[in-house]
Amino acid sequence: MHELVYDYITNNRGSILNGWMDRMKTNADERLIKVVSDQMFARTSSEFIDMVLSNFNENNKEFQNKLIDFAEKVVRLGWPLTFVTAGLREFNLIVFEGMSEEGIITSENQMEIVYDFDKWATPMTNEIVNMYSQTWERTVSLQKIALQELSAPLIPVLEGITVMPLVGTIDTERAKQIMENLLNGAVKHRSEVVLIDITGVPVVDTMVAHHIIQAAEAVRLIGAKCMLCGIRPEIAQTIVNLGINLNEIITKNSLKKGIEAALEITNRKIISVDEVGGS
């Protein structure tokens, strides 16, 4: 029966593709259609049919390769898995309806073809779900690595003074990254003062404070001073309520005041042009 289905799809590819695209656009989330051009949607849909046809091939390697390419592409396009699996169901329905209309499916062979459809489609659906999940996990993993690399930069602002602006929540994994970047950067830039700016950190709890204290202590051990900036009133209140001891760390309520203090520590100060002219 595989040959009957394969021949029908091959001979009616154009009409199947158009009918399938119309149905998928009707059922798709409006946001999905807006971000994908008609040309891209048509090309991806055509690749989907190519992938389906390759599943009839006795050489399963071709199907696997097309499946990997298709899964990676729809993940990049942001197509939800539900949309992809619904697309496979709609495709099967269109083919089954078309074969019925042309009399290829009769009352005598209907059950046999239905069984054959299920035998063919179910493994492919499972493969698509599995491959899609793997591709998505790999994509998320790569994105996570990229974000981690950018999540704790140490920026030299003046000779001997560096700043590490932190944004977002801090978990144990990210704290390790912060510590590593902090120490490597402080040595690389020969920092005398390192400012950790937590203005963009929404919550400072016991764990976050513990990580900051550890980072400050590590900076002190390599011969630099550590300053904590951006302590908002609500953060200060939380620190007091939790009984967190920050006595060993210089604290400032803004990055501006932190830089001014860092300049004093390094025997420098900011003066206005008028003062320079009058001296």
Side-chain angles (χ1 to χ4, degrees):
M1 288 295 171
H2 272 14
E3 292 78 11
L4 288 176
V5 179
Y6 179 83
D7 289 343
Y8 177 80
I9 295 174
T10 303
N11 295 332
N12 298 275
R13 179 190 173 97
S15 59
I16 292 173
L17 177 61
N18 291 333
W20 184 77
M21 286 175 58
D22 288 341
R23 290 196 189 186
M24 292 310 296
K25 281 190 174 182
T26 301
N27 298 330
D29 189 312
E30 187 178 342
R31 291 170 297 179
L32 176 65
I33 300 302
K34 282 183 178 179
V35 298
V36 179
S37 67
D38 290 342
Q39 186 179 5
M40 177 60 72
F41 191 79
R43 188 185 306 127
T44 306
S45 301
S46 181
E47 290 173 7
F48 176 81
I49 293 181
D50 287 338
M51 181 190 68
V52 170
L53 289 173
S54 67
N55 193 31
F56 289 97
N57 197 327
E58 291 182 1
N59 178 11
N60 203 41
K61 188 175 181 181
E62 181 186 355
F63 172 67
Q64 286 291 333
N65 290 336
K66 287 184 179 295
L67 181 58
I68 291 171
D69 291 342
F70 180 79
E72 288 180 346
K73 183 168 186 175
V74 294
V75 167
R76 288 197 305 271
L77 290 173
W79 289 14
L81 179 58
T82 51
F83 180 74
V84 178
T85 53
L88 182 58
R89 289 194 300 271
E90 284 292 341
F91 180 83
N92 292 341
L93 184 61
I94 289 172
V95 172
F96 191 85
E97 289 173 349
M99 292 177 69
S100 298
E101 289 174 3
E102 292 193 10
I104 300 172
I105 297 177
T106 63
S107 55
E108 289 78 16
N109 67 10
Q110 182 173 348
M111 290 307 297
E112 188 177 356
I113 290 182
V114 168
Y115 174 77
D116 196 58
F117 255 92
D118 182 69
K119 185 179 176 182
W120 158 69
T122 300
M124 185 166 65
T125 302
N126 292 339
E127 284 286 347
I128 288 175
V129 172
N130 181 52
M131 191 59 63
Y132 192 96
S133 300
Q134 288 181 17
T135 303
W136 182 254
E137 287 172 5
R138 185 166 63 252
T139 301
V140 169
S141 178
L142 291 172
Q143 289 175 342
K144 187 175 182 181
I145 291 170
L147 285 172
Q148 285 177 343
E149 291 174 350
L150 298 172
S151 65
L154 192 67
I155 305 166
V157 291
L158 289 168
E159 185 179 349
I161 301 175
T162 51
V163 176
M164 176 175 279
L166 299 178
V167 178
T169 56
I170 300 173
D171 56 16
T172 302
E173 186 177 349
R174 190 180 178 203
K176 292 178 182 177
Q177 185 76 36
I178 290 170
M179 180 79 77
E180 184 179 338
N181 289 2
L182 196 63
L183 295 177
N184 291 339
V187 172
K188 177 183 176 182
H189 300 301
R190 298 179 181 179
S191 303
E192 296 178 50
V193 183
V194 176
L195 295 86
I196 300 177
D197 181 23
I198 62 169
T199 304
V201 178
V203 177
V204 175
D205 55 17
T206 305
M207 186 193 73
V208 172
H210 174 68
H211 290 314
I212 291 172
I213 291 169
Q214 279 190 321
E217 182 64 17
V219 169
R220 188 181 66 80
L221 290 174
I222 63 172
K225 292 184 180 292
C226 185
M227 194 179 303
L228 187 61
C229 305
I231 300 181
R232 306 183 301 278
E234 63 271 22
I235 297 295
Q237 187 175 2
T238 301
I239 290 173
V240 171
N241 290 339
L242 292 174
I244 298 167
N245 184 7
L246 296 178
N247 292 338
E248 299 298 321
I249 304 174
I250 302 170
T251 58
K252 298 293 178 183
N253 64 0
S254 69
L255 181 59
K256 177 178 179 292
K257 290 188 177 181
I259 290 177
E260 288 173 354
L263 287 171
E264 289 181 15
I265 292 172
T266 56
N267 298 316
R268 286 174 287 184
K269 66 177 181 178
I270 298 174
I271 61 174
S272 67
V273 176
D274 292 339
E275 289 182 60
V276 176
S279 61

